[in-house]
Amino acid sequence: MRPDQLDLLTTVDAPTLTPDGGRLVIGTARPDFTTDGYTGQLWVMPTDGSAPARRLTQGYRDCGAQLSPDGTTVAFLRSPVPDSDSTASSSPQLALIPLDGGEGQTVTDRRLGVTGFAWSPDSRWITFSSPEPEPGRYGTVAGVGPGQEDPRLVTGPDHRLNGEGYTADKRPRLFEIEVPDAAGELVFAARGRMAEPESSQAVSPALPTARPLTGGERAATDPVYAADSRHVFFATTPEAGFGQSLRTAVAVVEARRDAAGTPRPPGSGPSADPDAGPVRLVAGGTEVRVGFGSPCISRNGEWLYLLGQDLGESGLEFVASNAAVYALPAAGAVREAITGWDRPVASLQPRLLTDPAATGFAGPLRPSGQDQVLALGASRGRTVLVRVSHQGHPEVVVDRQGEVTGACEAGGTLAVTSTSAASPGAVAIQHRDGGLQELFDPNAAWRADLPPAAGLEREYGGPGDPRGHRPDQPAVHGWVFLPDGPGPHPVILNIHGGPYAQYTWSWFDETQVLVAAGYAVVMCNPRGSDGYGAAHGAAVQGRMGTVDHQDIIAFLDGALEEFGPQGSGQLDARRIGIQGGSYGGYMTAWITAHDQRFTAAIVERGYLDPVSALGSSDIGWFFSEQYMGSDPERLRQQSPLHHVDRVRTPTLVIHSEEDLRCPIEHAQRYYRALWAQGVEAELLIFPGEDHELSRSGTPWHRRVRFEHLLRWWDRHLAAQVTEE
């Protein structure tokens, strides 16, 4: 594909099913150059494939659909068309639409939008999470813009997040609304004399009243109702104010009290709303090693499933600490939860159901059958769907060459969304015999004209290496992508971020653009990557730039040996580029300081100085020390900026102005050092973008980024063919 074809790529949300499993609703999204944003709507379709998908909504950006438990109504998030000249909020709001069709009805008007929501089992209520701005900030006072706001007093390290900015002044809280009658009379906001306070004939507000369930001292996200439709479990932070650790917890709040009321426990403090009960701790706490989140209630209401991550005594030991699935009785969680944030009562001990040393799981968890749960697990370049019971016994139910991105099970039907080498997003039905039937792929139309490049899976090193076992080199798993034609093709070694992440079988726009331009792409998952067990992921702790460097070069050498001049002749060993973003930018800068074989390099959003990152990065307060240690000299020795004087490779440095993960000063100092020592270098800066530019930046900037990548590689790799 070409950079100007980015707007063809359509991704899909997680599916949602009617209770009988007969119909499915899915959200789509694609880049739109016209509005320089992301547009998409909801689609509905029968799960037996008897009719094509039908567009259900007509909004600019509709996503995150969840069907009501009674199957009649779809709740979703709706965002307006981007408008840089408007003062109106562009944040997503909660909306409702009947499954059988009609007008979408927006039911919230939150200044900073809605981030997540859940239906009550009786379909009468919805609780949602929404950032609540401090008074005087984020436009809450007319005429007071960002430059006129009061100063922020920071008392701890955890106060900013890439893509969000400051966080402690807009913590997400939980609110609840009663679902309006979809067939009822429409109500509109009063105007003119009817809006005057003294008017006894003024109509009621157009939107349902959003009652607060939690206060603003702690973040509250990922809500889910208990079976009684009255208690709400949610994820939070046990520490108040600015965080000192990475600990998370699951708590419960009673959304609506009995008519007679219930005495408040001593020390519980005032409730967020007079009708709401106190927030009580279920799992996790300030004195608990394991942080819990992603609560999910089994369909029969008996089990509360959680994801838990062991963070050690300090609450910061996150490196290769895989999240595992846990469970505890839901009724006991409601009954025995207590106020206070140190630790739950002894009787509330979540049971560990999966092995964190082998596989890491990600949420959101989704109910399966009557008493089981579905979770997503990383495994050797795949993301698989696993079913887990409250007794354990994890069972892989979907494992394909790609990544499962979402799942929903109802009425005996299991629907999954996924990406693959052939498509950026599709939805399918998993049958009991193990077969996967594709139901809807919004990318099918263009794939006939733009067949994706397929990677060749390889494993170099280790006992299975056909070149012979090398005792000092364990197996490294990855892929080689070859352009059409006999070659020899210039080679680009691409390095993923993280480091605890993984390249997968899935469609990757960067690889497709490079291969279409005539470049072979080599990419692998070295030690430090996710998907190969906790020990593999922790192998780089305290020694970044050692075994990971060794594995990356070993995989490149293996690819050159098989496909280079002494092999099939498809790779040109004289023209090799290297590139990567974030940790991949770190490794690119590190490798070019220690290996002069590369023709050119691209260092993007690089984590280039772990020393300065301690105070400047949003995660610097824990990331550098956990990965590289606390000794100042060891930190310096693992810093690419410390070794930049060794670099001789022409380098394009790419960075975003609003990057809080790897602040732009990393790029500026690295570029200046290259320039000062006479290395050919360019610095490409994107205004208004953050660390996620290449994945979710504005469509125009993503397109321009690709154009600059190709320009740079054409100058240093492709142009050599013409010159020769």
Side-chain angles (χ1 to χ4, degrees), residues 482-654:
L482 301 173
D484 292 335
H489 305 289
V491 181
I492 295 175
L493 174 63
N494 208 355
I495 306 172
H496 69 62
Y500 202 53
Q502 62 170 349
Y503 276 137
T504 74
W505 281 96
S506 292
W507 170 281
F508 186 20
D509 58 357
E510 194 152 291
T511 298
Q512 298 298 324
V513 167
L514 293 173
V515 173
Y519 301 102
V521 176
V522 175
M523 58 192 211
C524 66
N525 292 325
R527 275 172 284 183
S529 301
D530 192 7
Y532 303 82
H536 183 274
V540 298
Q541 193 170 19
R543 49 178 182 164
M544 296 264 278
T546 58
V547 295
D548 44 359
H549 180 182
Q550 174 186 326
D551 286 0
I552 291 167
I553 295 301
F555 192 86
L556 173 63
D557 287 342
L560 291 173
E561 189 170 329
E562 180 178 359
F563 299 103
Q566 305 306 315
S568 65
Q570 294 162 284
L571 301 185
D572 189 341
R574 300 170 303 165
R575 295 180 294 150
I576 305 176
I578 180 172
Q579 70 175 44
S582 195
Y583 164 76
Y586 171 98
M587 284 307 304
T588 298
W590 179 270
I591 290 173
T592 56
H594 294 83
D595 192 329
Q596 304 301 325
R597 77 170 74 183
F598 296 96
T599 309
I602 297 178
V603 172
E604 185 170 14
R605 62 181 186 277
Y607 196 80
L608 302 177
D609 186 12
V611 179
S612 71
L614 289 170
S616 63
S617 168
D618 64 342
I619 62 173
W621 58 281
F622 64 89
F623 184 92
S624 291
E625 289 193 2
Q626 288 298 314
Y627 260 112
M628 303 175 186
S630 58
D631 179 72
E633 182 57 29
R634 289 188 66 192
L635 278 174
R636 276 193 295 273
Q637 290 300 325
Q638 294 174 85
S639 169
L641 196 60
H642 182 68
H643 302 283
V644 68
D645 60 309
R646 305 180 186 179
V647 177
R648 301 292 179 267
T649 307
T651 303
L652 171 61
V653 182
I654 303 177

Side-chain angles (χ1 to χ4, degrees), residues 66-75 95-100 119 179-180 182:
Q66 291 186 36
L67 268 159
S68 59
D70 62 12
T72 64
T73 307
V74 182
L96 304 173
I97 190 171
L99 178 61
D100 292 329
W119 284 94
V179 177

Side-chain angles (χ1 to χ4, degrees), residues 202-347:
V203 298
S204 59
L207 300 178
T209 300
R211 299 171 45 257
L213 302 184
T214 64
E217 191 177 32
R218 294 172 174 82
T221 60
D222 302 330
V224 61
Y225 280 91
D228 62 6
S229 292
R230 198 176 76 208
H231 290 87
V232 178
F233 295 101
F234 62 96
T236 186
T237 52
E239 293 169 332
F242 296 101
Q244 303 285 340
S245 75
L246 302 177
R247 292 185 179 95
T248 56
V250 169
V252 65
V253 64
E254 187 177 11
R256 279 156 280 107
R257 312 296 298 279
D258 293 331
T262 303
R264 298 182 59 76
S268 62
S271 62
D273 183 272
D275 294 330
V279 170
R280 298 179 292 135
L281 181 64
V282 172
T286 59
E287 297 179 1
V288 178
R289 290 178 57 104
V290 179
F292 290 97
S294 194
C296 176
I297 294 291
S298 64
R299 193 162 278 114
N300 62 10
E302 294 182 4
W303 296 97
L304 172 63
Y305 288 96
L306 311 168
L307 287 180
Q309 182 183 20
D310 190 338
L311 297 167
E313 296 299 329
S314 69
L316 296 172
E317 299 166 31
F318 77 100
V319 176
S321 177
N322 286 326
V325 182
Y326 289 76
L328 68 165
V334 170
R335 183 176 59 251
E336 299 175 38
I338 59 170
T339 57
W341 294 98
D342 294 343
R343 59 176 59 249
V345 296
S347 57

Side-chain angles (χ1 to χ4, degrees), residues 18 63 70 160 177 243 285 318 538 580 630 635 640 692:
T18 53
C63 65
D70 62 12
R160 294 195 306 170
I177 61 169
F318 77 100
S630 58
L635 278 174
E692 302 304 310

Side-chain angles (χ1 to χ4, degrees), residues 88 182 269 291 416 686 712:
V416 296
F686 284 88
W712 182 258

